[in-house]
């Protein structure tokens, strides 16, 4: 199955955005990279912001899917799986991760706020479904979804953003064990449940 014009545009734009930056990449450069006419581009996307919004949603969906793909039932294993999945996705998704975490701009997101909220709500629901029995059993501290996610992913995100931006060349996965141990100390009430 061959990729659609939209997919070709997204892939080329993501590559150029990653190499040159979003602001420095023109529609003409994207069209030249794909080998399409002005009309073909504007048939697929009305504006560059619409293209950016589409890439953002693509990245968000891919990231969320990676997080919950292999979620074990126990608190400790689940926390380890979530942090590991976050680190792995950031490192192996490169340009997509950089776009999601480094390039996103509010003006692109205005048109997709409802879809973005829906994707975030789906992830929150999946995490809540996993957490609920563990919290009820006393394995996890009770807290809001936002606080849980901040405690879980926040520290790992510091390493990931430094790596994505080039401020630190060290692979963030090298800190996985310490990040998991720290998250377990903060989030777990009773180990091994």
């Amino acid at each position: 199955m061959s990729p659609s014009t939209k997919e070709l545009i997204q892939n080329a734009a993501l590559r150029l955005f990653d190499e040159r930056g979003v602001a420095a990449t023109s529609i003409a450069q994207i069209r030249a990279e794909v080998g399409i006419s002005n009309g073909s581009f504007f048939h697929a996307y009305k504006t560059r912001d619409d293209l950016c919004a589409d890439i953002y949603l693509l990245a968000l969906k891919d990231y969320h899917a990676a997080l919950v793909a292999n979620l074990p039932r126990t608190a400790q294993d689940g926390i380890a799986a979530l942090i590991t999945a976050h680190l792995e996705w950031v490192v192996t998704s490169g340009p997509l991760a950089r776009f999601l975490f480094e390039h996103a701009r509010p003006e692109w997101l205005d048109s997709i706020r409802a879809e973005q909220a829906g994707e975030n709500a789906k992830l929150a629901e999946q995490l809540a479904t996993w957490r609920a029995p563990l919290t009820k059993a006393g394995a996890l501290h009770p807290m809001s979804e936002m606080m849980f996610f901040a405690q879980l992913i926040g520290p790992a995100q510091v390493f990931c953003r430094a790596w994505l931006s080039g401020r630190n060349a060290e692979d963030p996965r090298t800190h996985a064990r310490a990040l998991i141990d720290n998250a377990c100390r903060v989030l777990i009430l009773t180990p091994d449940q």
Side-chain angles (χ1 to χ4, degrees):
M1 182 172 167
S2 64
S4 70
T5 301
K6 272 191 164 190
E7 291 170 324
L8 292 170
I9 292 170
Q10 290 168 356
N11 292 336
L14 188 58
R15 201 169 39 258
L16 291 170
F17 292 160
D18 200 50
E19 290 169 9
R20 303 172 183 187
V22 177
T25 302
S26 68
I27 290 174
Q29 291 167 325
I30 296 167
R31 285 189 311 99
E33 184 80 11
V34 179
I36 59 171
S37 69
N38 208 29
S40 293
F41 180 90
F42 287 108
H43 180 72
Y45 291 103
K46 291 181 181 165
T47 67
R48 190 172 71 139
D49 285 356
D50 289 344
L51 167 61
C52 290
D54 245 18
I55 294 172
Y56 179 87
L57 280 175
L58 173 74
L60 188 66
K61 289 174 184 179
D62 195 65
Y63 171 62
H64 288 175
L67 282 181
V68 296
N70 297 305
L71 201 50
R73 294 213 182 273
T74 67
Q76 194 162 346
D77 290 345
I79 288 168
L82 286 161
I83 291 171
T84 301
H86 172 77
L87 295 169
E88 191 66 29
W89 186 85
V90 167
V91 172
T92 60
S93 297
L96 206 53
R98 250 183 305 284
F99 191 85
L100 181 65
F101 296 125
E102 296 289 309
H103 295 304
R105 300 290 175 263
E107 59 270 18
W108 310 337
L109 304 180
D110 286 341
S111 65
I112 59 163
R113 287 281 181 221
E115 289 173 273
Q116 179 189 20
E119 289 302 320
N120 288 336
K122 269 196 265 182
L123 176 65
E125 184 180 323
Q126 290 171 312
L127 291 176
T129 299
W130 171 74
R131 285 182 53 221
L134 294 168
T135 302
K136 186 176 180 180
L140 290 173
H141 284 283
M143 62 183 72
S144 71
E145 292 298 324
M146 187 174 286
M147 181 59 74
F148 176 80
F149 202 73
Q151 295 294 327
L152 178 75
I153 299 298
Q157 190 66 330
V158 170
F159 288 99
C160 290
R161 284 185 185 263
W163 181 78
L164 286 168
S165 69
R167 293 187 319 267
N168 187 342
E170 187 177 30
D171 186 323
R173 294 175 295 188
T174 62
H175 302 286
R177 185 75 261 151
L179 290 164
I180 291 165
D181 290 345
N182 288 334
C184 286
R185 279 193 290 279
V186 170
L187 299 170
I188 293 179
L189 273 167
T190 310
D192 301 316
Q193 283 193 22

